[in-house]
Amino acid sequence: MEEVIITLAALSIPIVAILSATLGKPWFAYRHRKLELEASMVAEKAAQYAAQTERLEQRVRVLERIVTDRGADLAGEIDRLADQPKLN
């Protein structure tokens, strides 16, 4: 009985090694490709977010310019109105 167990153990080690080498390479290649695709998708999303952020920053710059330019115009108008004589 012990001889059978020893023989099975001795045979199972090379069989497991051969199976893992045979089946392991395609599995690792599949995982590697899957990770590459996921990385490219993440990079694409990051580029989209960066572009969207840039567009929003440009819009904020335009709004800031409108507000500050209009603020200067408004201050000038207030000064002109203050200089005019009041009507009763």
Side-chain angles (χ1 to χ4, degrees):
M1 185 68 173
E2 285 183 27
E3 292 176 6
V4 173
I5 294 173
I6 293 172
T7 304
L8 285 176
L11 289 176
S12 65
I13 292 173
I15 291 172
V16 169
I18 291 169
L19 286 176
S20 65
T22 304
L23 299 176
K25 287 180 184 179
W27 185 80
F28 281 116
Y30 165 77
R31 291 289 296 159
H32 182 71
R33 180 68 179 141
K34 183 178 175 183
L35 290 174
E36 283 178 340
L37 291 173
E38 288 175 3
S40 69
M41 289 172 55
V42 168
E44 184 178 332
K45 276 284 189 196
Q48 290 174 354
Y49 288 138
Q52 182 179 10
T53 301
E54 179 60 31
R55 285 191 303 270
L56 290 173
E57 287 176 355
Q58 288 175 355
R59 292 179 70 185
V60 168
R61 279 189 220 107
V62 168
L63 290 173
E64 287 173 341
R65 191 170 56 245
I66 291 170
V67 168
T68 56
D69 290 350
R70 181 66 183 141
D73 293 343
L74 185 59
E77 286 181 38
I78 291 171
D79 289 341
R80 280 192 299 277
L81 289 173
D83 291 341
Q84 290 180 355
K86 293 183 182 179
L87 298 173
N88 291 331

